[in-house]
Amino acid sequence: MIKKFDKKDEESGSGSNPFQHLEKSAVLQEARIFNETPINPRRCLHILTKIIYLLNQGEHFGTMEATEAFFAMTRLFQSNDQTLRRMCYLTIKEMANISEDVIIVTSSLTKDMTGKEDVYRGPAIRALCRITDTTMLQAIERYMKQAIVDKVPSVSSSALVSSLHMVKMSYDVVKRWVNEAQEAASSDNIMVQYHALGLLYHLRKNDRLAVSKMLNKFTKSGLKSPFAYCMLIRIASKLLEETEAGHDSPLFDFIESCLRNKHEMVVYEAASAIVHMPNCTARELAPAVSVLQLFCSSPKAALRYAAVRTLNKVAMKHPSAVTACNLDLENLITDSNRSIATLAITTLLKTGSESSVDRLMKQISSFVSEISDEFKVRRRMCFNVYFLLNDMLLFFPSTILYTSGPSWTASSASSRRTQRARRRGWPTSVSSLRTVSTRCWPPRSFTCWARRARARPRHPSTSASSSTAWCWRARPSEPVRNGGVCVCEPLLARSCQ
């Protein structure tokens, strides 16, 4: 009977992981079962899983320990169990860098690579390329070329991805496989076409002219893979940035045409590329913003999140371009996904006007009370909401500060502090603050009293007729002289002048 794990147990780490108390010595002792005859596939599979788990957890295996376990594991190739064989491939890849004489399995992997079992061929190629060095690469070059153009998609993708990894090791040898990669790029399988395009780009990325020719070829002929289209958009965007070409370039026209693609991921990738282009005007952003606005009402949460996150970035530089999406963003405040709702709020705070702040503040107050403790851990997003909120409050204080007579109070808890300030002659309203001084004193590290309702004033003000006035935030020993530089926030700066 399989135990059903709870999410709380998974987070706490208690009872959710059956391998959490494993010891390396005990696992290596169990690995001796590999030498028994007949082979027990189920037990061997479980032990290989433990070894891979320890390796991925960072457990250090000595060279002798890893070599002994590796040599014992090679006997498992005698079994015809498919799951056990594929687990052996995975173990070879993990232990290739810590074991000695791993090339002894080259013949077995080559046999599986050229065999008739398609389920073995792809993993065997990946494992063989992992243990192959520069001196052995030419020996398997013929097999790799055949595998790249193989009719089985899994085999072709495995050969293309392995070739991409070997580019760093032996660029000159892999470069000779360009013709096979171009043939694979015309495949009907979307993953084979995507991997082939990736290999072609990495072989030509240092030659700008070759990259331009490749882009022209594929943009005219078209692709079937949406993943390949996304890669083409990124390559075109990078080339536009490097060449500093204008927005009249054919590459920009290609990216803009992808906004009308039938695949949603291609449409979003094109919109994201346009948004992140330098020196992009609001007119050029309009098609991308329109697409993102449609995604805001999508039933898919991933699309809504991607759209509002991108609009949030656009609002930093071009808030006027996002104003048309305010209604859709306000609808996202009540979204069940709190990440989407928070991004919608931060975006509206950047693009909102004074007339919409009152309505937005009421929605924010109910939203903050609904945030769970798990979401509050995400400090960065919460801090963005906090600082942006404070910036808006400085311009529209009437939306949050409650006016009681001539005094300002942020809550009922601060009324006693307001009365104490009156008795001591400290400013408690805008009218009294305006009589403090004509200029504010040089910058200090004190926070604004409008931001911190609980902060006590530093010094009582003097009358407006005094030749030496005191700033409300100044220390007693630092009077404000006429002609000083105003460094207060916008609200206080207007009040002090």
Side-chain angles (χ1 to χ4, degrees):
M1 182 178 179
I2 300 176
K3 180 183 177 182
K4 184 178 179 181
F5 299 127
D6 191 7
K7 185 177 180 181
K8 295 181 179 179
D9 294 336
E10 183 179 355
E11 294 176 354
S12 61
S14 59
S16 61
N17 189 355
F19 299 130
Q20 63 181 350
H21 299 299
L22 283 180
E23 294 183 2
K24 181 184 67 174
S25 57
V27 174
L28 293 177
Q29 191 75 14
E30 293 179 358
R32 295 182 179 180
I33 197 177
F34 297 159
N35 297 317
E36 295 182 359
T37 304
I39 297 174
N40 188 338
R42 186 172 182 178
R43 292 186 61 187
C44 294
L45 184 64
H46 190 60
I47 295 172
L48 288 177
T49 306
K50 292 181 180 180
I51 294 175
I52 294 176
Y53 173 80
L54 291 175
L55 289 172
N56 282 276
Q57 291 297 313
E59 187 72 31
H60 175 70
F61 278 71
T63 304
M64 292 297 297
E65 296 173 339
T67 304
E68 291 178 2
F70 184 84
F71 272 81
M73 183 265 300
T74 57
R75 294 193 69 257
L76 300 181
F77 277 89
Q78 300 175 7
S79 175
N80 293 325
D81 187 81
Q82 291 186 359
T83 308
L84 181 60
R85 181 71 62 87
R86 299 185 69 178
M87 185 62 73
C88 289
Y89 297 143
L90 189 59
T91 309
I92 289 173
K93 291 173 60 178
E94 295 294 333
M95 302 184 71
N97 297 327
I98 59 177
S99 302
E100 293 180 348
D101 301 327
V102 293
I103 59 174
I104 64 170
V105 295
T106 302
S107 59
S108 300
L109 293 175
T110 306
K111 180 180 178 181
D112 291 343
M113 174 183 174
T114 58
K116 297 181 180 180
E117 293 288 341
D118 293 336
V119 71
Y120 293 158
R121 295 174 63 194
I125 291 172
R126 294 175 184 267
L128 182 60
C129 293
R130 185 64 179 271
I131 66 174
T132 301
D133 55 8
T134 308
T135 58
M136 296 175 54
L137 186 56
Q138 294 182 356
I140 64 171
E141 183 177 2
R142 179 168 60 91
Y143 301 117
M144 291 297 297
K145 287 184 177 181
Q146 294 174 358
I148 289 175
V149 295
D150 197 275
K151 295 182 180 179
V152 181
S154 61
V155 177
S156 182
S157 287
S158 299
L160 289 167
V161 174
S162 300
S163 302
L164 185 58
H165 289 309
M166 289 189 293
V167 167
K168 301 177 182 178
M169 180 179 62
S170 183
Y171 174 81
D172 295 331
V173 176
V174 180
K175 192 176 181 179
R176 297 199 292 261
W177 309 344
V178 172
N179 295 332
E180 287 76 12
Q182 288 179 343
E183 184 178 348
S186 59
S187 173
D188 294 333
N189 186 272
I190 59 175
M191 295 307 298
V192 173
Q193 195 174 57
Y194 169 63
H195 292 145
L197 180 62
L199 178 60
L200 289 173
Y201 171 69
H202 281 278
L203 289 174
R204 300 173 177 177
K205 64 180 180 180
N206 295 325
D207 188 354
R208 187 177 296 173
L209 181 60
V211 174
S212 300
K213 291 181 178 179
M214 184 185 70
L215 283 173
N216 292 331
K217 175 185 176 182
F218 287 112
T219 52
K220 293 179 180 179
S221 61
L223 296 168
K224 297 182 179 180
S225 172
F227 304 104
Y229 261 114
C230 292
M231 178 170 284
L232 273 184
I233 293 171
R234 295 189 180 186
I235 296 172
S237 177
K238 184 177 180 181
L239 191 61
L240 278 174
E241 185 177 354
E242 291 177 353
T243 57
E244 297 181 355
H247 298 286
D248 298 331
S249 172
L251 294 178
F252 183 82
D253 295 337
F254 163 71
I255 295 176
E256 193 172 14
S257 66
C258 290
L259 293 173
R260 298 178 289 275
N261 196 282
K262 63 180 180 179
H263 298 285
E264 294 172 339
M265 69 169 67
V266 179
V267 175
Y268 172 73
E269 190 67 36
S272 179
I274 294 175
V275 164
H276 290 90
M277 283 184 183
N279 304 324
C280 198
T281 62
R283 181 179 179 181
E284 294 162 348
L285 285 174
V289 173
S290 300
V291 169
L292 296 174
Q293 185 178 6
L294 294 176
F295 283 170
C296 288
S297 57
S298 172
K300 299 179 181 179
L303 280 179
R304 296 198 305 273
Y305 177 79
V308 71
R309 183 171 179 266
T310 309
L311 288 174
N312 193 307
K313 294 180 180 180
V314 177
M316 294 181 182
K317 294 183 179 180
H318 303 278
S320 59
V322 190
T323 306
C325 307
N326 282 359
L327 183 60
D328 300 273
L329 291 173
E330 288 182 10
N331 295 333
L332 292 178
I333 295 179
T334 57
D335 195 277
S336 57
N337 190 313
R338 296 291 88 184
S339 300
I340 297 175
T342 304
L343 284 172
I345 287 175
T346 56
T347 308
L348 285 170
L349 289 174
K350 297 172 186 176
T351 61
S353 59
E354 184 175 1
S355 59
S356 63
V357 170
D358 291 330
R359 182 176 68 257
L360 184 60
M361 290 301 171
K362 295 178 182 179
Q363 293 175 338
I364 291 176
S365 60
S366 60
F367 166 78
V368 173
S369 61
E370 295 174 1
I371 296 179
S372 61
D373 293 337
E374 296 178 359
F375 189 78
K376 292 178 181 178
V377 177
R378 305 180 63 178
R379 293 183 176 182
R380 182 177 179 181
M381 194 170 292
C382 292
F383 280 146
N384 287 339
V385 176
Y386 175 79
F387 288 118
L388 289 170
L389 182 60
N390 277 290
D391 290 340
M392 292 297 295
L393 295 182
L394 287 174
F395 286 98
F396 311 111
S398 62
T399 58
I400 190 163
L401 297 178
Y402 173 75
T403 303
S404 177
S407 64
W408 279 13
T409 55
S411 63
S412 59
S414 62
S415 59
R416 293 190 299 272
R417 296 185 180 88
T418 305
Q419 295 175 2
R420 189 186 308 118
R422 287 177 186 168
R423 290 196 301 268
R424 297 182 181 181
W426 295 342
T428 57
S429 64
V430 175
S431 58
S432 60
L433 185 62
R434 284 173 179 160
T435 62
V436 173
S437 62
T438 57
R439 289 288 182 181
C440 291
W441 62 299
R444 300 296 300 178
S445 60
F446 300 120
T447 55
C448 171
W449 70 281
R451 289 197 176 193
R452 294 183 60 187
R454 296 184 179 181
R456 293 185 61 181
R458 292 291 178 179
H459 195 275
S461 63
T462 58
S463 62
S465 60
S466 176
S467 59
T468 301
W470 294 89
C471 179
W472 193 81
R473 296 193 303 168
R475 289 185 176 181
S477 60
E478 295 177 350
V480 178
R481 303 288 182 179
N482 292 334
V485 180
C486 180
V487 294
C488 291
E489 286 79 7
L491 173 66
L492 295 180
R494 290 196 300 269
S495 301
C496 293
Q497 292 177 355

